[in-house]
Amino acid sequence: MRISGKPGSVSSSQSVSGSKGSATPSAAAVAPAPASDAVQVSSSAQLMAVAQEVLAVTPDIRAEKVEALKNQLDADAYHPDGEAVAEGLIREHLAKGHRS
């Protein structure tokens, strides 16, 4: 395309040069592919969604378990293994430390 010095004057001049003397097809001659959107969710993501739904309806405090422990404490029948509790606390602490 050549633009002359005159305002509003545009003229078109095309030449094909090179060893192959044929022009490539224009973009208008190629039909565009139909546009479509698709979403694929992995099985892991589906499992996570189900787990989140279950957690959403699960109470933070398990009243039955708390009541059972209260009853054991009242009856002086609750005797936790101190070493097992300590090991659990250490494991929990180490697991949290690896996440940071």
Side-chain angles (χ1 to χ4, degrees):
M1 176 179 282
R2 183 178 33 197
I3 301 174
S4 70
K6 298 177 190 172
S9 169
V10 177
S11 63
S12 177
S13 169
Q14 293 182 353
S15 65
V16 178
S17 63
S19 59
K20 297 181 178 180
S22 64
T24 59
S26 69
V30 178
S36 66
D37 293 333
V39 175
Q40 293 180 349
V41 180
S42 70
S43 60
S44 297
Q46 291 172 347
L47 182 60
M48 285 290 272
V50 170
Q52 287 175 340
E53 288 174 10
V54 170
L55 283 174
V57 297
T58 304
D60 290 337
I61 298 174
R62 297 179 288 176
E64 318 82 44
K65 188 148 186 145
V66 171
E67 189 63 33
L69 287 172
K70 280 184 181 180
N71 291 337
Q72 286 181 356
L73 285 169
D74 290 342
D76 197 27
Y78 182 68
H79 305 287
D81 180 5
E83 286 186 29
V85 171
E87 286 178 15
L89 289 171
I90 291 169
R91 255 189 253 119
E92 184 178 332
H93 175 73
L94 292 174
K96 286 182 181 178
H98 290 296
R99 286 187 225 154
S100 327

